Amino acid sequence: MQRAVICAALLAGAPAAAEVTLSDVLSTRGLDGFVTADRLPEPVAPTLAQGKGVWEGTCMACHGGNKATGAPKITATKTWQPRIAQGLPTLIDHATQGFVGKTYTEMPARGGNRDLSDAEIAAAVTFMVWASGGEAEAQTFIEKNKE
């Protein structure tokens, strides 16, 4: 009986969970532990929202913090900064065509998912840049590429 009263009180008076923002997740090393989509902010821009879904379905396995792959962890601004400086077209090309990095880590073409369209890949890369310290670059890219 006591548990039921406590649960009812908590549910009735529980404040809504605070919405996660970019400033909550960005840091030089990124979020602690493996990053899943529910730990990231919900973007407003449709391209970024689509990108988050693609990231969750394909990219998260490596870019969520799987150290064995050598993929830059989403939200880790220090590792993303030099990549973002290359520009989104270059990053999208690497994701689309595949890429072998300096330490011989491989980004497989289309993230290993042949079914992804070019637009989905672009959206996922733009989302990762946005969620890793490149908010301005992502927004600029979206504006320049509106149809």
Side-chain angles (χ1 to χ4, degrees):
M1 178 67 168
Q2 185 178 5
R3 283 188 199 158
V5 171
I6 292 171
C7 288
L10 288 173
L11 290 174
E19 187 174 315
V20 177
T21 65
L22 278 178
S23 61
D24 295 330
V25 301
L26 296 177
S27 69
T28 55
R29 296 185 66 195
L31 287 172
D32 288 338
F34 191 80
V35 180
T36 53
D38 62 320
R39 297 180 65 197
L40 299 173
E42 290 297 329
V44 175
T47 298
L48 295 175
Q50 177 191 27
K52 184 177 182 181
V54 173
W55 180 82
E56 182 177 26
T58 298
C59 314
M60 181 176 71
C62 296
H63 291 281
N66 183 341
K67 292 180 183 180
T69 67
K73 183 178 187 176
I74 196 167
T75 71
T77 58
K78 184 176 180 180
T79 56
W80 275 94
Q81 187 176 34
R83 290 165 173 89
I84 293 169
Q86 295 177 35
L88 269 99
T90 297
L91 297 178
I92 292 166
D93 182 62
H94 289 172
T96 304
Q97 304 301 320
F99 179 77
V100 176
K102 292 189 287 190
T103 59
Y104 305 104
T105 54
E106 180 183 0
M107 165 68 207
R110 300 188 173 284
N113 184 347
R114 298 180 311 171
D115 296 331
L116 290 177
S117 70
D118 289 351
E120 289 170 321
I121 293 167
V125 171
T126 305
F127 170 73
M128 284 190 279
V129 165
W130 175 81
S132 301
E135 181 179 12
E137 292 84 350
Q139 295 296 348
T140 298
F141 182 80
I142 290 168
E143 287 299 314
K144 284 183 179 178
N145 292 285
K146 278 189 175 181
E147 294 181 8

